[in-house]
Amino acid sequence: MIGVIDTEGDCAEWTFPADPGAVRAARTAVRNRLTAWKLDGLADIAALLVSELVTNSLRHATGPIGVRLVRPGGVDGVLLVEVSDPLPDPPRARVADLDDESGRGLQLVAHAADRWGTRPGVTGKTVWFELSTPR
């Protein structure tokens, strides 16, 4: 990790270098924070989806990759997860052939998350998704 802001409250964020170790580091950070928040039931799916989005960032962008978890105030039962990178182009979902080794990440996010989307940033973009938290 090249930077970390890991809060005790309802938001945690990390910045990872654009190298292959970022995927594992992001998965570990997400799992640890969700465990600390007592959201262990979301750890597997959140870590998997973060893995896919960080991998996409590594393949298509250069520069740091940001990961952020938020439990928004006033919105019960929702975990917001964001992955940011410096590439301004939004990701494009595609249909992968059966023998393709890539191309399924955004499909996985779309099917597993309650909602997802992208938004432009000042110097890049953010891909986000929401997961329902247990009540």
Side-chain angles (χ1 to χ4, degrees), residues 5-19:
I5 301 169
D6 194 1
T7 67
E8 294 298 319
D10 291 327
C11 180
E13 55 188 298
W14 305 268
T15 303
F16 303 96
D19 66 51

Side-chain angles (χ1 to χ4, degrees), residues 19-105:
D19 66 51
V23 178
R24 178 180 291 175
R27 267 195 315 261
T28 299
V30 166
R31 283 182 183 281
N32 290 344
R33 175 49 54 199
L34 291 178
T35 297
W37 283 346
K38 300 194 182 342
L39 293 173
D40 304 69
L42 294 179
D44 286 342
I45 191 64
L48 174 64
L49 299 182
V50 164
S51 253
E52 293 295 331
L53 295 177
V54 170
T55 298
N56 283 352
S57 291
L58 286 173
R59 286 191 173 165
H60 303 290
T62 59
I65 299 165
V67 175
R68 189 175 126 159
L69 304 178
V70 181
R71 292 188 297 183
V75 181
D76 291 333
V78 175
L79 173 72
L80 173 65
V81 181
E82 301 174 329
V83 176
S84 303
D85 65 50
L87 184 69
D89 303 328
R92 292 186 334 248
R94 65 182 182 97
V95 177
D97 289 332
L98 290 175
D99 56 348
D100 286 348
E101 293 186 19
S102 64
R104 294 174 184 83

Side-chain angles (χ1 to χ4, degrees), residues 88-92 106 116-120 125-129:
D89 303 328
R92 292 186 334 248
L106 287 178
W116 78 281
T118 63
R119 68 173 182 273
K125 65 158 170 325
T126 297
V127 181
W128 59 269
F129 62 88

